[in-house]
């Protein structure tokens, strides 16, 4: 780092020791060619070099120093402190980092102390349910209740996006606090609630429809006549309580299509990519999306056949 008397600062960095030496000698020679003033003698110079690469700066400095203007002579005073290698410094830093990391408490310890709370978003469904001792995550229940109270008649429910910043705030609250009141005025916009619920399903490590069924579902949906029977035969492989409650709830939204303008097809488009997806994306994303939408739409329209009863 080079600091002039006038306050200008320059930082040059490099990993190559011999290059740093070249820089040092170039700057020192440029200073030596200046008129000999007491404050400019090499004995009074400190040159501290960190790592970077900017030869142009040295060249411009060297060029300026060959024919210094009178008003610049006093400003070209450097305090220089030079070290040919910072290997020892790097070793000390590495050693300190290793000690810090080795003393760092484990995730389990931080969770036991309450410093890091169990996350709801981004966790596997079975882990969330085990932690809450329930069959359906509490957050999902709260969102469903809130939408049934004040969202079934809202135009474009689940299709219209809520404010992303507020949704992220709700996500943070859910992950950090045990109690959540969706009737609070800050969650007044029902599209924030629906947006957070969609985000919850999108961030599941494995979607609501297990990965292992994706290709089979896609093949089944190509023949709509046999698809509902196929889904019915495999419904026990899903998270049945959550499937029942969620699809029963979405069907209530579809039942209000005349008011909220959300048909089973619209809901399929909204929830298709959210509830099921391939484990590894391929070049058939557009085709997959079409099938994803159709699968969810069929699940809704054939709900009673697939799950046996519309009663929860």
């Amino acid at each position: 780092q080079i600091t002039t008397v006038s306050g200008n600062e320059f930082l040059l960095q490099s990993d190559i020791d011999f290059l740093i030496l070249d820089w040092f000698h170039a700057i020192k020679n440029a200073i030596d060619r200046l008129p000999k003033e007491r404050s400019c003698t090499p004995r009074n110079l400190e040159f501290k070099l960190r790592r970077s690469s900017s030869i142009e700066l040295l060249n411009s400095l060297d060029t300026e120093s060959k024919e210094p203007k009178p008003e610049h002579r006093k400003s070209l005073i450097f305090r220089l402190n030079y070290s040919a290698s910072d290997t020892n410094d790097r070793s000390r830093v590495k050693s300190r980092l290793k000690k810090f990391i080795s003393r760092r408490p484990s995730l389990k310890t931080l969770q036991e102390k309450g410093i890091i709370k169990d996350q709801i978003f981004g966790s596997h469904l079975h882990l969330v349910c085990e932690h809450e001792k329930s069959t359906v995550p509490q957050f999902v229940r709260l969102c469903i209740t809130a939408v049934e109270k004040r969202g079934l008649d809202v135009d474009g429910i689940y299709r219209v996006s809520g404010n992303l910043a507020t949704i992220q705030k709700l996500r943070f609250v859910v992950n950090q606090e045990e109690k959540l009141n969706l009737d609070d005025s800050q969650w007044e916009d029902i599209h924030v609630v629906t947006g957070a619920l969609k985000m919850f399903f999108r961030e599941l490590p494995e979607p609501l429809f297990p990965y292992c069924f994706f290709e089979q579902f896609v093949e089944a949906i190509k023949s709509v006549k046999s698809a509902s029977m196929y889904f019915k035969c495999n419904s026990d492989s899903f998270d049945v309580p959550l499937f029942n409650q969620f699809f029963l709830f979405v069907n209530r939204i579809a039942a209000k299509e005349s008011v909220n303008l959300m048909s089973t097809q619209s809901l399929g488009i909204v929830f298709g990519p959210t509830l099921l997806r391939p484990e590894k994306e391929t070049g058939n994303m557009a085709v997959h999306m079409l099938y994803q939408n159709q699968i969810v739409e069929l699940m809704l329209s054939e709900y009673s056949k697939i799950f046996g009863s519309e009663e929860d």
Side-chain angles (χ1 to χ4, degrees), residues 7 9 33 40 61 80 95 99 119 163 166 252-253 285:
E9 294 185 352
R33 287 197 295 271
C40 278
L61 177 64
L80 305 170
S95 177
K99 289 180 180 178
Q119 302 291 288
N163 181 274
T166 311
R252 293 187 186 123
I253 296 175
M285 289 181 63

Side-chain angles (χ1 to χ4, degrees), residues 171-214:
R171 179 183 186 275
F172 177 80
V173 170
V174 172
N175 276 337
Q176 297 298 317
E177 299 180 6
E178 293 183 4
K179 294 183 179 180
L180 174 66
N181 179 16
L182 289 179
D183 290 328
D184 190 289
S185 59
Q186 60 184 325
W187 321 124
E188 181 180 5
D189 182 2
I190 196 62
H191 298 303
V192 167
V193 176
T194 57
L197 183 58
K198 287 188 293 184
M199 181 180 287
F200 170 81
F201 283 114
R202 281 198 305 270
E203 293 189 3
L204 289 174
E206 183 165 26
L208 194 60
F209 290 81
Y211 285 132
C212 60
F213 288 102
F214 182 80

Side-chain angles (χ1 to χ4, degrees), residues 26 29 41 60 112 124 132 166 190 215 267 285:
N29 291 337
T41 57
S60 63
E112 289 174 350
H124 286 276
E132 297 179 351
T166 311
I190 196 62
E215 294 298 336
L267 290 166
M285 289 181 63

Side-chain angles (χ1 to χ4, degrees), residues 228 232 244 247-248 251 298-311:
S228 60
K232 178 176 176 60
N244 272 319
F247 277 97
L248 182 62
N251 260 320
L298 182 66
M299 285 282 194
L300 291 172
S301 59
E302 301 289 330
Y303 174 85
S304 60
K305 293 180 181 179
I306 294 171
F307 294 100
S309 174
E310 293 188 0
E311 298 298 326

